[in-house]
Amino acid sequence: MRKLFAANWKMHKTRNEAAQTAAELVTLTAAALPTGREVLILPPFTALGEVKEALGTDARFALGAQNFYAQKQGAFTGEISPGMLLDVGATYALTGHSERRHVLGEDDALVGQKTAFGLQAGLRVILCVGEKIEERKAGKLAEVLTRQITAGTKDVPRDVAPEALSVAYEPVWAIGTGEVAGPAEILEAHALVRAQLVALFGQAGNSMRILYGGSVKPDNATEIVGLDNVDGVLVGGASLKADDFSRIVLA
Ligand code: 13P
């Protein structure tokens, strides 16, 4: 399976800034990208079209969205459908990002609906999971991950194509804090995620990608990407500058 290097730009960048960063990233990485690696940019909705254009037709560079709503169309003010994302050239989308869960109030049930709907609509979905610091301290890591993955995939067909569904493990306490999870913590959590995917999807669970996210930087990326069961990274802050993110992609 190809390792996935995903840039989550969150609520950053105008269209021009996004196009420029994407173009720089392609310039910095296209020639040197090791085989078996794929790059994904998740810009804000307003910049999807510009980033698609900047990425061009190289299949190793993909476009994705940070969010969508689980309906085809209708009276859902402020929302975007998977079909609209596919129309602009996005092939991936996130569900369950920690900021959607904990800042915008999305619960497990909604995350599950969105994951199943997005997959069914033809998007590749990256389901994000992760524990809060108080849950980790209370010894609830396995319980939280099991609950989030079970609920998040509740309505996903058991024969879903494994390349269409990925899980990103992003411990809430490591997001945007500079506090990266250590190798032992990542290994433990990713093994739990893998076991849960195999329990739910059988052998196909071994072919689903598990990404790590949370304060990934150029200087820790090589070690993280080399760990067992780490099939890519989901990067926030350090993905905003093409130079930093290119060093992660090529790490
Ligand atoms: P940081 O890389 O800024 O910690 O953000 C991680 C994240 O939330 C990616 O989705």
Side-chain angles (χ1 to χ4, degrees):
M1 96 187 73
R2 291 200 289 177
K3 288 204 193 259
L4 184 60
F5 292 75
N8 177 8
W9 286 349
K10 307 190 180 185
M11 201 171 73
H12 292 282
K13 295 189 187 291
T14 62
R15 290 177 303 153
N16 277 344
E17 290 164 351
Q20 198 176 331
T21 307
E24 272 175 40
L25 182 70
V26 172
T27 303
L28 289 169
T29 58
L33 192 67
T35 43
R37 292 195 178 191
E38 182 181 3
V39 179
L40 168 65
I41 298 188
L42 304 145
F45 291 133
T46 47
L48 282 165
E50 278 77 4
V51 171
K52 175 70 190 163
E53 209 157 295
L55 292 178
T57 53
D58 187 333
R60 300 171 304 167
F61 293 84
L63 178 72
Q66 299 167 22
N67 186 34
F68 61 88
Y69 193 60
Q71 290 286 338
K72 259 192 180 157
Q73 59 182 31
F76 304 104
T77 301
E79 297 299 328
I80 299 267
S81 73
M84 293 167 180
L85 298 176
L86 290 161
D87 179 54
V88 77
T91 49
Y92 283 86
L94 303 180
T95 57
H97 191 277
S98 138
E99 287 139 24
R100 302 243 28 118
R101 292 178 189 268
H102 305 302
V103 183
L104 283 310
E106 292 193 8
D107 62 12
D108 281 328
L110 180 60
V111 173
Q113 278 170 28
K114 290 167 73 162
T115 303
F117 193 90
L119 286 166
Q120 200 268 333
L123 288 169
R124 292 180 164 205
V125 175
I126 301 171
L127 167 65
C128 305
V129 299
E131 82 288 3
K132 297 195 247 184
I133 191 64
E134 55 271 27
E135 293 168 327
R136 168 165 284 269
K137 284 185 176 156
K140 292 188 174 160
L141 174 68
E143 181 188 319
V144 171
L145 296 183
T146 302
R147 191 196 76 230
Q148 291 179 338
I149 295 169
T150 304
T153 61
K154 186 172 142 294
D155 296 321
V156 173
R158 298 300 104 166
D159 63 350
V160 66
E163 61 276 13
L165 178 64
S166 304
V167 171
Y169 169 63
E170 298 202 306
V172 179
W173 47 272
I175 296 177
T177 58
E179 194 167 335
V180 66
E185 292 162 322
I186 297 175
L187 284 168
E188 181 192 13
H190 281 230
L192 287 166
V193 173
R194 179 69 69 205
Q196 185 64 16
L197 288 174
V198 170
L200 291 167
F201 296 99
Q203 270 311 315
N206 281 318
S207 306
M208 291 171 176
R209 289 185 287 203
I210 307 174
L211 315 184
Y212 171 77
S215 297
V216 175
K217 307 283 180 223
D219 62 2
N220 60 27
T222 307
E223 182 182 31
I224 292 171
V225 169
L227 294 171
D228 260 6
N229 282 317
V230 175
D231 309 306
V233 284
L234 179 54
V235 186
S239 74
L240 291 170
K241 289 194 180 140
D243 181 49
D244 288 342
F245 191 54
S246 71
R247 287 194 282 140
I248 292 172
V249 167
L250 302 177

